[in-house]
Amino acid sequence: MSPGWRDRLRRSGHAGAPHTGVRERLVPPFPEPAAHLWQLLGLGPARAQRLAKATEWLGPLLVTALAGALRFWRLGRPRGLIFDETYYAKDSWALLHLGYEGTWPDRKIADPEILAHPQVIPLSDTGSFVAHPPTGKWVISAGEWLFGLDPVGWRFMTALLGTLSVFMLCRIGRRLFRSTFLGCLAGALMAVDGLHLVMSRTALLDLVVMFFVLAAFGCLLIDRDRARARLAAALP
């Protein structure tokens, strides 16, 4: 890596300085958070350092709050079964109440009845054809258990998982790049990404799959760092 690029990454908080030993290469250190910004705002050195240290968690939490506001604002709009919500929302409700996917009338009949006032739920206990594994539908059903069979109910869990995935990406990015700023930047880009935002506000299985894949990658990253730390500690 050229010195110019190394300096640019270091200014962004990346621990890009050359390492002198195998231990440092196995376990790259996190840089000390800079407190000069908080000192410019009038805080004392000790308090500024504590606040700078707290940004390791406050930064990701603020980005997550932005993501949650975008995903939960008017979650019940549009009021309807969008695209394949007509399958997953109904199957989730059937799993919640029958333990298996029941049979529903044609969507032209069932959808208006579900959205009507008073609501009619035309679910039959006759088993239906199953095309997908049930995990994602069980996740969606948790929101329906809380809020009922309505747009907020069947979209609540995908909005929650979409918000949590932004937080996970902030922390994953921080661990990868050894920079809180770069981790929060990665999370902020996901928070405002159009596709991620739409999928977080729709009761489909795609967002659920993405959440568990991202969580698995985060666990793999933590396991790698811990294994490297044990190896570094065992070095002569």
Side-chain angles (χ1 to χ4, degrees), residues 101-155:
E101 289 87 343
T103 301
W104 298 81
D106 184 82
R107 60 183 301 177
K108 295 181 179 178
I109 299 173
D111 291 7
E113 292 184 343
I114 291 172
L115 297 168
H117 293 286
Q119 185 183 57
V120 177
I121 301 178
L123 172 62
S124 167
D125 59 3
T126 303
S128 177
F129 175 76
V130 179
H132 300 90
T135 302
K137 290 179 278 190
W138 277 113
V139 170
I140 294 171
S141 72
E144 294 178 339
W145 176 74
L146 290 171
F147 301 103
L149 187 60
D150 61 45
V152 173
W154 61 66
R155 294 172 191 157

Side-chain angles (χ1 to χ4, degrees), residues 6 9 15 26-27 35 46 53 65 68-69 75 96 105 115 120 149 151-152 155-157 170 201 216 222 225:
R6 189 180 294 121
L9 287 173
L26 284 172
V27 188
K53 183 70 175 176
L75 185 60
L96 183 62
L115 297 168
V120 177
L149 187 60
V152 173
R155 294 172 191 157
F156 176 81
M157 287 304 298
C170 289
R201 292 173 57 89
I222 294 171
D225 284 355

